[in-house]
Amino acid sequence: MLSVLNASAISREALMTTEAFKKWDGDKYSMMIHFGLYSHLGGEWKGVPVTNAGGEMIQSAAGIYYDIYEELADEFDPQGFDADAIVQTAKKAGMRSIIFTAKHHDGFCMFDTETTEFNSVDATESGRDYVREMAEACKKEGLKFGLYFSLLDWHSPFGGQMSSHNADKISDADSEQLSHDIAKKIQDEMTYPGQVKITVIRETRAVSYAR
C-alpha cells in the first residue's frame, strides 16, 4: 500500500511513537551517501568551481540547461564505485545502516524504473543499478539499507521549478500529477525484497508505505 501525505500533518511526537522510528533512532551511527549524476562534475562546471551551492545542486547553481544536463548521463561511468567496499568500510567503522540517494532534485534515478529513461540503467552506457548494488551489499554484510528520495524533480514537468533554493514547495496541482509518478518509483525501489528498511523523503510532502 502506498500513499502520499502532507508532511506538515505528521508531528515529530507522532513519528516518535512508532516502532519503526524507535528502531531507527536507536541505530544512531549510520552512513549517508549523496551520489548521483551530479557527482560526475565534481563540483565544477566548464573548469570553474561552483561554490555557491552543494554538489547535488550544481545544475541550478551553475545554470545548466536541461538538455545539456541530460547529456552528462552519456559520460557517467563511475568505475571506482564499489558497493561491497563501501559497505565493508561502514561495517568496520561500527555503522548499523546506510542511506543512499535514490533520486535527488535533478530527477536522475540511481535505479531501474519504468517511469523515466533518465536513470542509471537506461541512460548510461554501463547500465548499472546502484540502488540494487548497495542493497545487495548491505544484505550480505547484515547492515540496514535505506533510501533518500527527493520529491522535487527538475526533470519532470510536475516536479517543481528549478531554483537556487533547496526546499521549494511543489504546487498542489503539480503534486496531484506527481504523486502517481512518485508512487510508481517507490514501488520500483521496493523490488529488492526485504532489503530496503528506511526511506527518507525530502521536501514539503512525504510518501509513506506499508509492506
Side-chain angles (χ1 to χ4, degrees):
M1 179 179 68
L2 293 166
S3 59
V4 180
L5 306 173
N6 190 323
S8 62
I10 306 174
S11 68
R12 178 175 174 81
E13 290 74 17
L15 286 173
M16 290 182 69
T17 61
T18 67
E19 189 64 26
F21 185 84
K22 289 179 180 179
K23 289 181 179 179
W24 174 80
D25 191 49
D27 283 342
K28 301 297 183 183
Y29 193 31
S30 181
M31 178 184 289
M32 169 68 197
I33 301 175
H34 255 319
F35 181 67
L37 184 57
Y38 44 82
S39 305
H40 175 66
L41 297 176
E44 294 186 354
W45 179 240
K46 295 184 177 180
V48 179
V50 179
T51 59
N52 59 329
E56 68 275 10
M57 295 288 290
I58 195 168
Q59 184 181 4
S60 65
I64 306 173
Y65 293 120
Y66 295 102
D67 56 339
I68 300 298
Y69 192 80
E70 279 187 355
E71 292 174 358
L72 293 176
D74 294 333
E75 307 170 4
F76 187 63
D77 184 21
Q79 297 182 17
F81 183 89
D82 186 334
D84 288 325
I86 293 171
V87 174
Q88 288 166 10
T89 298
K91 185 176 182 179
K92 186 177 180 179
M95 298 181 185
R96 300 178 183 177
S97 61
I98 293 178
I99 306 297
F100 185 78
T101 304
K103 182 187 78 67
H104 209 269
H105 305 345
D106 62 355
F108 188 73
C109 297
M110 298 294 284
F111 58 97
D112 191 15
T113 175
E114 297 177 356
T115 63
T116 177
E117 292 184 355
F118 195 48
N119 66 72
S120 61
V121 175
D122 296 322
T124 69
E125 187 173 342
S126 60
R128 295 171 64 180
D129 185 330
Y130 298 95
V131 169
R132 180 173 293 278
E133 290 180 23
M134 288 298 301
E136 291 177 348
C138 282
K139 182 180 181 181
K140 185 163 51 178
E141 295 295 336
L143 268 67
K144 293 179 182 177
F145 177 60
L147 298 174
Y148 173 111
F149 186 96
S150 173
L151 300 189
L152 286 175
D153 191 331
W154 298 333
H155 196 260
S156 167
F158 308 109
Q161 295 296 313
M162 184 170 68
S163 77
S164 61
H165 199 274
N166 198 29
D168 291 312
K169 184 177 181 180
I170 301 170
S171 71
D172 290 338
D174 284 345
S175 291
E176 184 68 24
Q177 295 290 332
L178 189 64
S179 63
H180 303 291
D181 179 62
I182 291 171
K184 184 61 177 70
K185 281 186 170 69
I186 297 294
Q187 284 178 324
D188 288 339
E189 291 172 349
M190 294 299 111
T191 59
Y192 316 115
Q195 296 180 29
V196 179
K197 303 296 185 182
I198 309 161
T199 302
V200 179
I201 305 297
R202 177 61 193 268
E203 307 322 329
T204 57
R205 294 181 183 272
V207 174
S208 68
Y209 62 88
R211 302 181 59 191

